[in-house]
Amino acid sequence: MKRFMLSLAFLILLTMGIPSLHAANADFTESDQLLLHVSIGSDIQITPTADSFQLKDVSADLFFYPRRFSYQKPSNIITVPVANITEQYVHYYWENPDASVLSYRYDADVEIQHTADHMQRKIFFPLPRNTMQEYVKPRQYITSDDPAIGGLASSLVEGENDLSFAVDKIAVWAIDNINYNLTTLTAPVTQNASWVFENRYGVCDEITSLFIAMVRSVGIPARFVSGLAYTNYKSMNDWGPHAWAEVYFPDVGWVPYDLTYHQLGYVDPTHIVLRYSTDAGEPSVQLHWLSEGVSLHGEQLSLKVKLLQAAGKRASPLTMTAKVVAPEMGFGSYNLLQATIKNPHGWYVTREIQMQESTHLNVVGKKERILSLGPYQEKNISWIISADPNLDTDYVYTLYAEINGAGSQEVAVNVSASGPLYSLAEMRDLQREQEDRKTAKSVIFAQCLPDKREIYLREKVRINCTLTNTGTTLISGLDVCLEEVCSQVDVGTGESKTLVFEREGTAVGKQDYGVSLRNARVSRQLFTTVRILDVPSIAITQLKAPETVTFGQPFTLDFLLDKTSESTPVNVSVAVMQEGKNSHWNIGTLDQDKPFSIAFDGYTLDFGENTLKVTVRYLDTRGRVYETSTTQVVRLSKTGFKETIMVWLYKAERALEGVLTSIKGTSKD
């Protein structure tokens, strides 16, 4: 009988396009929270291949199932048959099955929250070389070692020292230059990143592979996400398999990037995570069986989603003001629509801003723009629009252009036969001038870090706050406060200043120190964490030895090194002294209580009471020395003549050893 295994990489390419992805049913794709019912299952076909056959057992490992994390929580889980759910897969098992078809299913209600924008401070780029190396390596499909991919990615992020902006630059290039095209959907295998880069088109998983390859090529960790998502492409209004990426940001974690949906740094709550992997093309199911004369075939996975409830509505984190350069224009004239997009928050926001065409009013060039805004930053963008040249000369038209993505705003322009005419060249010159002009902004990057991440109780820690003005105006009268202690500073454009605050550790545990930044234009709150340790402490407890022993009787001294502090003692050593004779043990770090049992032979005891002294010596992480000791008395019972002679001989031997040791030490001096 032979053991077999079959890996099934079921098709996960989502037949969806980019335009108007969320125009229909936007009431739930823009929700704060969704409650969904997810059902995943398939059949295993069992076919005898010989007259005499035997099937001992079958197992199916389902890798595609809703994962649990902060913003996705499955509940009411039912598996048929009953399965073992691990962190990696759902394990189904059949012993001696006699059916020709084995079915398995996973059902769960899944609560998904809209992911928040993650970045509240600048993370410097490039990252250290040892950052999450498993997610930087090239793979079969994610060919980050392709020189062409690496060369372009490096040129895109050249001179960029902000990780969030570096990732966005790569993502925007991929969105602008790689076409979503269903041609590869019918291909027998997924195309790798190099193929997509060369041919400039692909579907969601292939575009995701290229994006991950590009960020990995410049040392940024990223992973492949397989899941389900909602689409209304070609009026499908349904859920289907989908793929997107997550990028690792130190001190923040994994941040989602869905290039197909143009969602950078977040995803909407219709995204259901089923699997994380280091590469595309990983199997969704693996079958194992032990048989003779039998073959197994796994059917395509059935993936179904039903909306149970939608709650709340997610407002745009950006604000916008818009206007046209010329309030009036003639038939066939060009005009410039300008918008100022502001990020009023203390975190990074990347969003797509869309210009909607209207009847008789057309957009020249791209309608969509992806903007990456740092905390409190604002940017100017513009579109060239043109009026229909074939309008009725008897009318004056009021036409409206709508901008979405930072809220929604309509801008009106009057169009008439007698209106002024502006050329395309004029508007392009004006557009370059307007978008090249720096918008005055107050942007302060602040980082507050302790000089020590751990301190002991009553020790002092210095909180160093570095403030950098990356805006274009002077930031004056900025109050920087750590609790009730405040300093007021002015920070010029491009200038950095460092303020130092001092605090004493007053309570054991993690202590969050909040630093606030306030003036008329800036309002920020930063936190840094320090772990406060108590003084390391070891108690010698449960000390036990027999009260009386006879000469030569073996016995043990038992005790427990009881770690009584939250902090960990280091360089721990134990010494046991008996009548001037020492024995030592080095045990290093004491992470938890440690029992000791020390054997004695009973020949070295003296007449009457013998004091056994246990001494424990240890250090804290600053190198300070601590010591504790205790004693235990063991009485030697009455001895006969022979035993008395033996005791005196042992005493003489120890005395002689002491003299020799003393002489040896003197001769060395």
Side-chain angles (χ1 to χ4, degrees):
M1 200 172 297
K2 294 184 179 179
R3 175 71 66 182
F4 299 89
M5 184 187 78
L6 177 63
S7 295
L8 305 175
F10 293 132
L11 200 62
I12 62 163
L13 308 181
L14 180 56
T15 55
M16 55 172 286
I18 291 175
S20 305
L21 283 173
H22 296 152
N25 292 288
D27 54 329
F28 71 85
T29 59
E30 297 175 0
S31 298
D32 273 327
Q33 181 176 301
L34 296 180
L35 181 61
L36 308 169
H37 182 77
V38 178
S39 182
I40 302 171
S42 185
D43 294 334
I44 304 170
Q45 302 289 339
I46 301 173
T47 305
T49 59
D51 293 336
S52 176
F53 62 89
Q54 183 179 5
L55 182 57
K56 183 69 173 176
D57 61 54
V58 178
S59 65
D61 293 334
L62 175 66
F63 294 94
F64 277 20
Y65 68 97
R67 304 303 170 124
R68 181 181 298 276
F69 47 88
S70 60
Y71 62 85
Q72 177 174 295
K73 298 175 182 177
S75 61
N76 301 325
I77 300 171
I78 298 174
T79 61
V80 180
V82 175
N84 179 29
I85 301 176
T86 73
E87 291 186 1
Q88 299 298 326
Y89 51 81
V90 181
H91 181 72
Y92 301 87
Y93 180 77
W94 298 265
E95 186 174 7
N96 297 318
D98 56 5
S100 61
V101 177
L102 301 178
S103 299
Y104 58 93
R105 196 177 79 246
Y106 174 102
D107 286 271
D109 296 335
V110 183
E111 179 185 302
I112 304 180
Q113 296 178 342
H114 196 297
T115 60
D117 296 285
H118 297 72
M119 241 58 60
Q120 296 185 358
R121 64 176 180 85
K122 178 178 180 178
I123 298 176
F124 285 94
F125 174 78
L127 296 176
R129 289 185 177 275
N130 60 350
T131 305
M132 301 288 284
Q133 283 298 295
E134 183 67 16
Y135 296 94
V136 179
K137 296 176 182 177
R139 303 287 176 176
Q140 179 182 356
Y141 295 100
I142 300 175
T143 52
S144 53
D145 55 348
D146 185 326
I149 290 175
L152 176 63
S154 295
S155 68
L156 292 173
V157 299
E158 184 177 0
E160 181 58 70
N161 65 1
D162 189 310
L163 179 59
S164 182
F165 291 152
V167 176
D168 283 353
K169 286 179 178 179
I170 292 173
V172 170
W173 180 91
I175 290 170
D176 287 345
N177 293 275
I178 306 299
N179 294 319
Y180 187 93
N181 189 306
L182 300 181
T183 302
T184 61
L185 188 63
T186 57
V189 294
T190 296
Q191 302 296 343
N192 66 19
S194 297
W195 187 97
V196 178
F197 182 78
E198 181 179 352
N199 291 275
R200 294 294 199 264
Y201 69 86
V203 288
C204 62
D205 62 332
E206 295 165 339
I207 295 172
T208 298
S209 292
L210 175 58
F211 168 66
I212 294 175
M214 293 179 74
V215 297
R216 285 185 182 179
S217 72
V218 292
I220 302 171
R223 66 185 179 184
F224 191 90
V225 184
S226 304
L228 299 168
Y230 175 81
T231 176
N232 60 18
Y233 178 63
K234 293 186 177 180
S235 300
M236 288 174 60
N237 295 328
D238 201 0
W239 305 75
H242 188 40
W244 61 98
E246 287 187 352
V247 176
Y248 181 77
F249 286 74
D251 300 325
V252 174
W254 293 102
V255 178
Y257 283 76
D258 187 344
L259 274 63
T260 311
Y261 279 65
H262 296 189
Q263 295 176 356
L264 309 184
Y266 76 103
V267 289
D268 67 56
T270 71
H271 287 68
I272 306 168
V273 176
L274 300 182
R275 182 173 189 177
Y276 298 113
S277 55
T278 57
D279 198 7
E282 297 291 333
S284 50
V285 178
Q286 280 188 345
L287 303 181
H288 304 259
W289 67 96
L290 180 62
S291 71
E292 284 184 358
V294 175
S295 70
L296 267 66
H297 170 72
E299 300 291 347
Q300 185 80 14
L301 273 182
S302 170
L303 305 165
K304 297 180 180 179
V305 180
K306 181 180 178 181
L307 175 66
L308 301 179
Q309 184 180 352
K313 183 176 175 62
R314 179 57 57 110
S316 172
L318 304 175
T319 62
M320 170 177 55
T321 57
K323 65 178 183 179
V324 288
V325 170
E328 297 185 357
M329 59 191 291
F331 296 169
S333 177
Y334 293 89
N335 207 333
L336 191 66
L337 180 80
Q338 299 174 319
T340 299
I341 313 298
K342 297 180 180 180
N343 175 14
H345 304 290
W347 55 82
Y348 290 73
V349 177
T350 301
R351 290 295 186 274
E352 182 178 64
I353 311 300
Q354 301 172 336
M355 168 72 181
Q356 302 293 331
E357 289 183 325
S358 61
T359 306
H360 307 308
L361 201 60
N362 301 310
V363 179
V364 178
K366 289 190 55 154
K367 303 177 186 67
E368 302 87 12
R369 304 285 185 85
I370 295 178
L371 285 187
S372 302
L373 297 170
Y376 309 105
Q377 190 178 13
E378 64 180 49
K379 287 184 179 179
N380 293 325
I381 57 173
S382 59
W383 293 265
I384 296 175
I385 57 177
S386 65
D388 190 337
N390 300 315
L391 298 175
D392 193 328
T393 57
D394 292 335
Y395 293 92
V396 174
Y397 296 81
T398 300
L399 303 180
Y400 293 89
E402 183 179 349
I403 307 174
N404 296 305
S408 181
Q409 185 172 345
E410 284 189 336
V411 180
V413 59
N414 294 323
V415 181
S416 64
S418 60
L421 295 174
Y422 303 98
S423 69
L424 178 60
E426 287 178 295
M427 289 301 113
R428 281 180 171 161
D429 288 343
L430 184 59
Q431 184 181 43
R432 281 191 291 268
E433 177 186 338
Q434 293 293 331
E435 294 197 4
D436 288 345
R437 184 180 301 164
K438 295 291 185 181
T439 304
K441 54 186 179 291
S442 296
V443 182
I444 188 83
F445 278 106
Q447 189 174 47
C448 294
L449 297 173
D451 62 346
K452 297 185 287 286
R453 286 293 183 184
E454 291 183 342
I455 61 172
Y456 285 96
L457 205 60
R458 303 304 172 190
E459 277 190 347
K460 291 185 178 180
V461 61
R462 293 160 63 93
I463 309 295
N464 302 296
C465 292
T466 301
L467 315 175
T468 303
N469 182 354
T470 61
T472 57
T473 60
L474 170 70
I475 296 177
S476 60
L478 183 66
D479 289 317
V480 184
C481 302
L482 175 60
E483 298 169 351
E484 73 283 355
V485 179
C486 297
S487 297
Q488 189 173 88
V489 294
D490 298 335
V491 188
T493 301
E495 183 181 12
S496 292
K497 288 190 175 179
T498 299
L499 301 177
V500 180
F501 299 93
E502 194 171 76
R503 277 292 177 271
E504 183 180 88
T506 57
V508 175
K510 288 186 177 180
Q511 176 66 53
D512 292 324
Y513 295 101
V515 179
S516 63
L517 285 67
R518 299 282 188 277
N519 73 357
R521 297 176 65 95
V522 174
S523 178
R524 298 280 301 279
Q525 186 77 23
L526 306 171
F527 290 93
T528 190
T529 301
V530 176
R531 185 180 177 211
I532 301 173
L533 306 173
D534 53 357
V535 173
S537 176
I538 300 175
I540 305 170
T541 63
Q542 302 179 25
L543 190 65
K544 185 175 64 175
E547 293 183 4
T548 304
V549 297
T550 60
F551 181 77
Q553 175 188 343
F555 69 93
T556 60
L557 174 66
D558 299 314
F559 57 91
L560 180 72
L561 296 187
D562 187 358
K563 178 177 174 285
T564 57
S565 60
E566 182 178 326
S567 62
T568 300
V570 298
N571 291 0
V572 180
S573 64
V574 177
V576 177
M577 178 181 289
Q578 177 209 349
E579 297 297 327
K581 184 176 182 179
N582 279 324
S583 299
H584 292 271
W585 296 267
N586 293 317
I587 62 173
T589 299
L590 187 66
D591 295 315
Q592 57 187 2
D593 298 350
K594 184 176 180 65
F596 258 75
S597 183
I598 301 172
F600 292 83
D601 58 16
Y603 287 110
T604 57
L605 297 180
D606 203 348
F607 301 111
E609 292 184 347
N610 293 260
T611 300
L612 308 180
K613 183 177 181 182
V614 180
T615 302
V616 180
R617 179 186 173 94
Y618 51 96
L619 280 65
D620 62 21
T621 56
R622 303 281 189 271
R624 291 174 293 208
V625 180
Y626 303 85
E627 188 175 288
T628 185
S629 62
T630 188
T631 59
Q632 177 73 23
V633 174
V634 177
R635 175 181 292 275
L636 182 64
S637 63
K638 187 175 181 181
T639 59
F641 177 76
K642 180 181 177 181
E643 287 81 7
T644 301
I645 296 299
M646 296 276 299
V647 169
W648 281 109
L649 288 174
Y650 276 117
K651 288 183 67 173
E653 181 181 355
R654 289 197 298 273
L656 181 59
E657 286 178 354
V659 171
L660 292 175
T661 301
S662 176
I663 294 173
K664 187 176 181 181
T666 304
S667 64
K668 285 185 178 179
D669 293 340

